[in-house]
Amino acid sequence: MSHSHEHSHGHDHHSHEQQHTHSHDGVPCGGHDQPSDGVPLNDPLSDPTELRVLLSALSSFYLYRRTAHLNLTHQRRKDFYKLPLRHRELLSGGNNSGVNYLQALRDVDDAIALNANLCEQIFATGIEAFGAPPPPEGSVTGEEGAPPPWWEVAASAGDVEKVTSTVKQFWRDWSVEGGEERERCYGHVLRELERLFPEAAEPEEGAADTHTSSSSSSSSYRPRKSVKVLVPGAGLGRLPFEVVRRGFWCQGNEVSYHMLAASNWVLNCISAPHPPPPTQPGASTTSQVVPPPSQKMQISPWCHSFSNHVSRADVVRRVEIPDIFPSEILLGSSSSSDGDDAEEEEQEEDYDETSSDIPAARFSMVAGDFTDSYSGPESAGEFDVVATVFFIDTAGDVVEYLERIFYVLKAGGRWINLGPLLWHWEGRRAGGGDAEHQHEHEHSEAHDDSHDDDEEEEEEEDDIEEEEEGSRRGSGSGSGSSAHGHANGSHSGGKVELTVEEVLGLARAVGFRIVKRGIDGEGGRVRTGYVQNERSLLRYEYDAEYWVAEKPL
């Protein structure tokens, strides 16, 4: 049963920049569908530069286990044994100190192993999803004289670092513990959507058809499945998933290959265990189907930093992901009550326009730069709502974003925005290097444990390398190597950082009417963190701006 989650992750390139197809239920996640003419558009495998960026991102997931052990525990053990013997004894429980530093490192090793299990699944499903090439013929690991497989060597140092941001993003988007932060960031957007398009009884027979009405503010009833919502910077896909879950049609857009590979895994490649079928009279109990183990996984998102923890237990604290199985909900199986196999088979055969009651048929993802992906004539006036969360400050030239949002909205359509203005490209100019703006758009990383000078120098070197490769970190909320991005943050290469008032002034100049500012309609901001460890001694919060703008009729 296949449906058009167009980023994840075969190659079904029939609209926008790069689209991929999700597959489910016995079909490997990420098959390879081609457009009718057989010629894929902007296929990353056909562009050597783009292929290098993709392979670097995938390889970084594979190398996480090795590099995390090396960077987090191996070096610390070496440093420990440089200490005076008396100090090592105290740090090993001597004199009832209560400290066992080497055991703490062993616990971190265990935490790394948990995260690595996730990363290696993302790597494996990502290879299949993107159709990444096999290693050159004869390149068997360990074979004398043979080159190593690409996954052993392709990752840049910067991409390996970004895997830790992706692991932490799972805490925010797909764990129970991240629910409070999700509510602060996504809740206002979802409630605005529900307010704009309330659930109501279907119009009486003979009433005017409002299915294609262009005005979101119309008093006419709009069935939610006819309301098209775009979420640029979709990251791991939780916000567009929640939009679809509430009955809307939604398309996410993401530029980061790290986010795309990880969202493919969580949206497509895992499902809840199902009970065995009822035992038939006279059947042998040994022949019954045994339910598979739960596909939920434990991760340890906070083990990558040793600073600002109250206890060692906090360092290696585990969370379970995902909190829900999105594929079960998207395919409608979680709400199935009659178990009618014939009906299910009929639904599986009919997934696109004719199956809009099935959530998966209303959910798609597009891989690529936002401004490029929606520049074509087919995108003009395509969407009823554009929802941006922690997104617009990823622009080099924010006017490009404003114009593109206006372009894709229908007349009467709404733009819902929530987020700060931590400009992604500030500090990346020559001579820059403000560690706050490693950003990645994982905002918490701006204030994490990467402020020392050596890491800042490495980040600057990584930035130069990425620019030379013609790519940039994601324009979306995810971190990592990007699909068809812009090395300088905008098509022109120019960059500008503005205040909230200036952004709103430009929005009006582009043509928007600001219909609501603040969660209370009077400028009230949203106080929230971004992937913030709630037990840390150091936490950063944003007074995020919130507004709703309308494209006039």
Side-chain angles (χ1 to χ4, degrees):
M1 156 173 27
S2 188
H3 61 282
S4 173
H5 277 205
E6 293 148 68
H7 93 239
S8 301
H9 287 101
H11 301 290
D12 181 19
H13 308 273
H14 21 270
S15 70
H16 304 311
E17 176 157 351
Q18 177 183 338
Q19 301 185 8
H20 306 282
T21 298
H22 289 288
S23 300
H24 286 275
D25 210 23
V27 181
C29 52
H32 297 284
D33 292 343
Q34 296 293 337
S36 57
D37 61 4
V39 181
L41 305 176
N42 296 314
D43 185 344
L45 304 185
S46 65
D47 180 339
T49 299
E50 195 69 20
L51 176 61
R52 187 163 62 249
V53 175
L54 168 63
L55 296 187
S56 178
L58 292 177
S59 173
S60 66
F61 285 106
Y62 173 80
L63 293 173
Y64 170 84
R65 186 185 300 269
R66 182 187 311 169
T67 57
H69 283 305
L70 177 65
N71 295 332
L72 292 175
T73 57
H74 177 69
Q75 187 59 49
R76 283 182 168 87
R77 286 189 180 93
K78 291 173 64 176
D79 292 341
F80 174 82
Y81 284 109
K82 294 176 183 178
L83 296 172
L85 177 61
R86 182 171 61 86
H87 294 177
R88 297 203 306 266
E89 289 174 345
L90 286 172
L91 288 165
S92 301
N95 207 20
N96 296 317
S97 67
V99 178
N100 192 334
Y101 189 72
L102 291 178
Q103 180 58 51
L105 295 182
R106 287 191 288 271
D107 291 341
V108 171
D109 280 327
D110 291 340
I112 290 169
L114 288 176
N115 296 340
N117 292 338
L118 168 66
C119 293
E120 287 158 12
Q121 285 200 22
I122 293 172
F123 166 73
T125 56
I127 285 181
E128 183 177 21
F130 285 104
E137 187 176 352
S139 60
V140 178
T141 302
E143 182 180 332
E144 186 175 355
W150 60 262
W151 52 77
E152 293 276 0
V153 295
S156 69
D159 276 335
V160 171
E161 278 295 310
K162 292 161 198 169
V163 174
T164 65
S165 298
T166 306
V167 170
K168 291 195 286 187
Q169 189 81 17
F170 272 103
W171 171 89
R172 169 184 165 86
D173 274 358
W174 294 103
S175 76
V176 171
E177 291 80 358
E180 182 178 346
E181 192 170 285
R182 287 197 303 275
E183 165 59 25
R184 292 184 184 185
C185 292
Y186 302 156
H188 297 288
V189 173
L190 295 169
R191 284 189 290 276
E192 183 68 22
L193 278 171
E194 291 172 323
R195 186 191 68 80
L196 289 170
F197 303 97
E199 290 183 321
E202 291 286 348
E204 294 181 5
E205 188 174 352
D209 180 15
T210 59
H211 184 84
T212 58
S213 168
S214 62
S215 174
S216 350
S217 57
S218 172
S219 59
S220 301
Y221 168 72
R222 289 284 304 278
R224 285 184 178 176
K225 64 185 179 183
S226 75
V227 177
K228 302 186 74 171
V229 181
L230 173 63
V231 179
L236 293 183
R238 186 61 183 253
L239 178 55
F241 167 75
E242 292 294 343
V243 171
V244 170
R245 197 178 180 188
R246 284 156 176 78
F248 299 94
W249 187 102
C250 187
Q251 185 167 91
N253 166 239
E254 178 56 53
V255 71
S256 162
Y257 280 131
H258 285 82
M259 293 291 111
L260 292 168
S263 64
N264 170 64
W265 176 82
V266 73
L267 292 172
N268 292 327
C269 300
I270 56 172
S271 60
H274 296 283
T279 303
Q280 300 298 320
S284 167
T285 56
T286 59
S287 66
Q288 299 304 303
V289 177
V290 178
S294 171
Q295 294 296 305
K296 289 194 175 185
M297 302 185 70
Q298 287 188 325
I299 60 170
S300 183
W302 313 119
C303 72
H304 305 100
S305 170
F306 282 53
S307 298
N308 290 307
H309 293 287
V310 174
S311 70
R312 285 293 166 189
D314 288 344
V315 179
V316 296
R317 178 163 55 104
R318 301 178 179 186
V319 298
E320 192 172 65
I321 61 166
D323 57 321
I324 55 175
F325 288 102
S327 63
E328 300 288 311
I329 294 170
L330 292 173
L331 295 175
S333 55
S334 62
S335 58
S336 177
S337 57
D338 56 14
D340 189 291
D341 292 339
E343 182 177 340
E344 287 186 10
E345 289 178 7
E346 184 178 346
Q347 289 178 343
E348 290 172 12
E349 292 172 0
D350 220 3
Y351 234 103
D352 294 344
E353 293 87 359
T354 59
S355 302
S356 60
D357 288 333
I358 299 173
R362 294 182 273 104
F363 186 16
S364 61
M365 292 279 282
V366 169
D369 174 79
F370 169 59
T371 54
D372 285 342
S373 296
Y374 298 93
S375 60
E378 72 281 0
S379 298
E382 178 72 10
F383 296 95
D384 298 282
V385 178
V386 175
T388 53
V389 176
F390 278 68
F391 174 72
I392 63 169
D393 55 357
T394 64
D397 177 4
V398 72
V399 180
E400 281 187 339
Y401 278 16
L402 298 176
E403 290 178 336
R404 187 66 70 235
I405 293 169
F406 193 84
Y407 177 74
V408 303
L409 279 173
K410 298 177 181 180
R414 300 295 178 95
W415 170 32
I416 307 171
N417 178 73
L418 186 148
L421 291 181
L422 179 59
W423 293 104
H424 180 72
W425 294 96
E426 185 176 4
R428 294 178 182 271
R429 293 180 172 85
D434 183 352
E436 183 182 29
H437 297 94
Q438 69 176 295
H439 198 281
E440 297 175 341
H441 201 277
E442 221 237 44
H443 281 257
S444 68
E445 286 296 295
H447 310 290
D448 212 50
D449 58 331
S450 55
H451 288 297
D452 64 68
D453 293 337
D454 290 339
E455 290 186 2
E456 287 185 25
E457 291 173 4
E458 290 173 3
E459 287 163 8
E460 291 175 12
E461 291 171 2
D462 291 339
D463 292 344
I464 294 171
E465 179 183 4
E466 287 180 353
E467 290 193 353
E468 289 173 348
E469 292 179 349
S471 64
R472 72 177 179 92
R473 290 189 176 93
S475 71
S477 63
S479 62
S481 296
S482 60
H484 306 285
H486 300 292
N488 297 309
S490 67
H491 287 83
S492 66
K495 308 179 191 69
V496 63
E497 298 87 29
L498 303 174
T499 67
V500 171
E501 295 295 343
E502 289 170 332
V503 170
L504 290 172
L506 284 171
R508 294 184 184 98
V510 165
F512 281 109
R513 184 171 68 91
I514 309 301
V515 297
K516 182 178 182 179
R517 183 175 175 189
I519 54 176
D520 54 2
E522 299 180 0
R525 298 188 181 97
V526 179
R527 195 163 184 81
T528 180
Y530 195 97
V531 194
Q532 288 293 297
N533 180 358
E534 73 277 19
R535 298 187 189 178
S536 174
L537 297 176
L538 177 64
R539 294 190 296 275
Y540 284 82
E541 287 189 318
Y542 296 93
D543 274 334
E545 281 282 337
Y546 175 80
W547 64 73
V548 181
E550 181 182 45
K551 179 177 181 177
L553 290 168

